[in-house]
Amino acid sequence: MSLLSRARNAVALLALPVLLTACAAAGTEQAASGPPRPGGTLRLGISSAPDCLDPQQVATNAAINVARQLVDSLTDQDKTTGEIKPWLAEKWESNADSTAFTFHLRPGATFSDGTPVDAAAVKTSFDGIKALGTKAQLGFGYLAAYQASTVVDPQTVRLEFSSPSAQFLQASSTVSLGVLAPAAFRKTPEQRCQGDGLIGSGPFVFENLKQNQEIVLAKRKDYAWGSSLFKHQGEAYLDKIDYKIVPEPGVRTGSLASGQLDAATDIQPVDEPQFAGNGFSENVRPNPGVVFNLHANTTRGVLTDEKVRQAVLKGVDRTEVVNTVLTPNYKAATSILGSATPLAGDLSQQLAYDPKAAAALLDGDGWVPGADGIRTKNGQRLSAAVVFSPVFNQNRSVLELVQQQLRKIGFDLKIEQHTTAETTQIQLSGNYDFLWYNVTRADPDILRGQFSTKAGNRSKLAPGNPLDVALDAQSSTVDIAKRKPSADEAQKLIIEHAYAIPVFELTQVVALSSKAHAVDFEASSRLQLFDAWLS
């Protein structure tokens, strides 16, 4: 039985959810042999079966890596600078308080059914995303304050919001707000999830789905309105993309090594060395957004004490985590935001490993070491549990090392593994001490979703706190110069009060055979395959 045949019989695992679940690290792809050339089918191994194919409903990495190729967005985002650039919209403007955005569409773009990408179609698409409610797993948050769209003229559309929504400009570049044709909304959300009615204007079209086996996309022959950030214009190079669903990491890497795949995603740290040279290469990019962290519920047990949380912050050796459990492709956290996030700050000094300072904080707070080394105070043990799901292969290993590190300062970290669904329910119930997760988005507003008392409020803070003020301020303007001070303040407050303890940045590692080139990432560290080609 071939490696891919074995893989097809494997149970499809969940992909890294974005909700738990990129200036960017340069990829290490080898120099291409000659100029890019059209043709061929890219056989791409992915780690799980997408939960849905509709760009407006997807939330997992595997699903987004497929859906991104099917739709265009109003804008695109420069992955190096974070700047928003033209795509379906040639230009745009917002009003003073970021409650209205007007987009001027480029002429000539069409959906795969031949209908025009005009203002009426954009209005239908955004109204359709809003109507999905929570089925639009990411778009629901991006459009929380969305009220309506107005067709100003055939090529101009204005989107209006009930409250300041500076984050929407970046959201308009994401696959979650990718534009579908009006005809797509004559199908049910469930039908679109299976590929039925997925009519976009993107460089590829849906061709075939075999559950838990493969998804095939085909090149759109007349595509001519690519993002201004694409490396070439006109049609995509590849004739087809064949996503092979190979859940087992060993089978996936073996399939690539044996030539049954041209490229593979989600290369695990233990497997990285075999694809560094020897005719292979790796393309690597850290995820933007909230890094993997211990997010504290400040209303529970010992974590109500800020000095305890600050001691935990100082008691984690992030460099040891990266050097011991991960690889040099991963970065120790330098803020609550990953380094690839626009407006991410550098708080590495505040996050420096300092067990002596941690012990001094606990000594001064009355926590006394016990016979087993764990501290106590007034009969209470210095202990808290962390809830996690194994959405990233190394999560347990990372947490076990952090557990050992914290024992050295007299803190007992208990590790509780749950399924992704169970973890989500625990998070929604508030029945946790620490949550372990990361969230991907190339915009600092991702903090508002997790920390604002008007949104996720995972720290269980009281309304009207200084962090709320900073988060609201950064969401009120698209002017980077005006937005930066409040984004900086929000990150500083989170670290200062140890509402969350950042540990490391998630990294996407894609391995390529010598045939595959330009299998690249967009700003959110999702695959963008328009420029990919085979030699």
Side-chain angles (χ1 to χ4, degrees):
M1 182 180 290
S2 73
L3 288 168
L4 282 175
S5 296
R6 284 167 53 203
R8 286 170 177 162
N9 291 330
V11 177
L13 302 177
L14 281 173
L16 173 66
V18 173
L19 295 179
L20 295 179
T21 76
C23 328
T28 56
E29 186 185 352
Q30 296 171 328
S33 54
R37 64 185 196 181
T41 297
L42 177 71
R43 300 165 301 168
L44 177 63
I46 59 176
S47 63
S48 63
D51 52 346
C52 175
L53 297 181
D54 179 3
Q56 298 178 351
Q57 298 182 65
V58 297
T60 64
N61 279 354
I64 292 172
N65 283 337
V66 176
R68 177 70 279 181
Q69 322 314 320
L70 298 171
V71 290
D72 300 323
S73 299
L74 289 173
T75 64
D76 203 355
Q77 185 175 17
D78 188 307
K79 65 182 180 182
T80 302
T81 67
E83 188 178 355
I84 305 302
K85 296 286 192 176
W87 195 344
L88 288 176
E90 292 182 312
K91 59 182 180 178
W92 51 87
E93 55 267 353
S94 62
N95 63 358
D97 64 353
S98 301
T99 57
F101 297 80
T102 302
F103 293 91
H104 304 270
L105 305 177
R106 66 190 293 171
T110 61
F111 296 105
S112 57
D113 65 354
T115 57
V117 181
D118 58 14
V122 172
K123 171 180 168 56
T124 299
S125 192
F126 276 86
D127 288 349
I129 300 170
K130 185 70 173 181
L132 283 169
T134 55
K135 287 182 179 178
Q137 296 183 61
L138 302 177
F140 178 75
Y142 300 160
L143 297 183
Y146 173 78
Q147 286 188 308
S149 295
T150 301
V151 175
V152 178
D153 63 46
Q155 295 302 116
T156 310
V157 60
R158 184 173 68 249
L159 286 75
E160 297 170 351
F161 296 79
S162 60
S163 61
S165 298
Q167 58 83 27
F168 171 71
L169 189 57
Q170 186 275 334
S172 73
S173 74
T174 66
V175 67
S176 304
L177 301 187
V179 181
L180 288 175
F185 297 97
R186 294 198 277 271
K187 299 289 186 176
T188 66
E190 292 72 25
Q191 287 174 312
R192 293 201 301 274
C193 269
Q194 298 303 307
D196 184 10
L198 276 189
I199 306 168
S201 64
F204 292 89
V205 295
F206 172 76
E207 183 172 282
N208 185 41
L209 164 67
K210 292 181 182 176
Q211 290 290 351
N212 296 331
Q213 294 185 37
E214 68 179 353
I215 300 146
V216 180
L217 308 184
K219 173 166 68 176
R220 172 129 183 231
K221 299 289 188 182
D222 58 348
Y223 187 79
W225 42 87
S227 161
S228 59
L229 293 172
F230 289 173
K231 295 174 184 174
H232 79 283
Q233 291 299 306
E235 299 174 0
Y237 292 126
L238 297 170
D239 288 335
K240 293 187 179 183
I241 307 168
D242 187 356
Y243 295 87
K244 302 288 189 183
I245 299 162
V246 191
E248 298 174 8
V251 177
R252 196 163 60 253
T253 55
S255 298
L256 178 59
S258 66
Q260 296 181 71
L261 294 173
D262 303 307
T265 67
D266 300 288
I267 301 302
Q268 298 302 311
V270 69
D271 295 319
E272 287 179 24
Q274 66 181 296
F275 299 115
N278 304 315
F280 294 93
S281 59
E282 293 173 347
N283 203 357
V284 177
R285 192 163 197 273
N287 282 42
V290 175
V291 301
F292 267 113
N293 72 99
L294 296 160
H295 196 136
N297 179 345
T298 64
T299 65
R300 291 258 298 201
V302 301
L303 300 183
T304 59
D305 187 336
E306 184 169 308
K307 286 188 170 60
V308 167
R309 302 196 304 270
Q310 291 169 336
V312 172
L313 187 90
K314 295 179 183 298
V316 175
D317 187 343
R318 295 157 184 82
T319 302
E320 185 184 35
V321 168
V322 170
N323 291 344
T324 305
V325 181
L326 303 171
T327 71
N329 282 331
Y330 293 78
K331 292 183 177 182
T334 55
S335 175
I336 186 63
L337 291 176
S339 57
T341 318
L343 302 184
D346 183 357
L347 298 169
S348 48
Q349 282 191 320
Q350 291 88 326
L351 294 174
Y353 179 50
D354 194 345
K356 289 183 179 178
L361 276 169
L362 295 172
D363 288 339
D365 202 31
W367 292 94
V368 180
D372 62 352
I374 301 302
R375 294 172 182 261
T376 59
K377 177 181 177 181
N378 300 327
Q380 184 179 23
R381 189 172 168 85
L382 188 58
S383 178
V386 56
V387 170
F388 86 103
S389 59
V391 291
F392 172 59
N393 189 264
Q394 301 301 112
N395 269 348
R396 175 168 282 280
S397 297
V398 168
L399 288 172
E400 287 175 347
L401 179 53
V402 170
Q403 181 185 54
Q404 293 171 26
Q405 293 172 350
L406 293 179
R407 282 196 71 87
K408 294 176 182 176
I409 66 167
F411 188 99
D412 178 24
L413 180 68
K414 297 185 182 300
I415 300 172
E416 295 183 2
Q417 180 172 330
H418 297 271
T419 66
T420 301
E422 289 168 348
T423 300
T424 300
Q425 287 304 310
I426 290 168
Q427 179 241 306
L428 292 173
S429 72
N431 188 28
Y432 56 86
D433 301 331
F434 282 123
L435 285 175
W436 174 257
Y437 71 97
N438 84 302
V439 193
T440 297
R441 187 180 179 188
D443 190 274
D445 195 68
I446 192 66
L447 294 176
R448 194 162 55 95
Q450 319 311 313
F451 291 90
S452 171
T453 63
K454 303 169 188 175
N457 195 15
R458 294 184 175 191
S459 299
K460 306 304 174 191
L461 304 176
N465 64 77
L467 181 54
D468 267 357
V469 175
L471 292 172
D472 286 347
Q474 65 80 36
S475 73
S476 66
T477 177
V478 295
D479 186 321
I480 296 299
K482 294 179 180 176
R483 200 178 181 201
K484 181 173 172 29
S486 50
D488 286 344
E489 177 69 5
Q491 294 169 76
K492 182 176 75 71
L493 288 169
I494 289 166
I495 302 306
E496 188 178 282
H497 296 287
Y499 295 140
I501 287 82
V503 180
F504 76 94
E505 300 185 18
L506 180 66
T507 296
Q508 299 302 315
V509 181
V510 175
L512 311 175
S513 74
S514 58
K515 288 177 56 180
H517 309 282
V519 176
D520 209 354
F521 302 106
E522 39 90 285
S524 296
S525 293
R526 313 302 185 199
L527 291 181
Q528 177 55 272
L529 300 177
F530 175 78
D531 290 306
W533 61 283
L534 294 169
S535 56

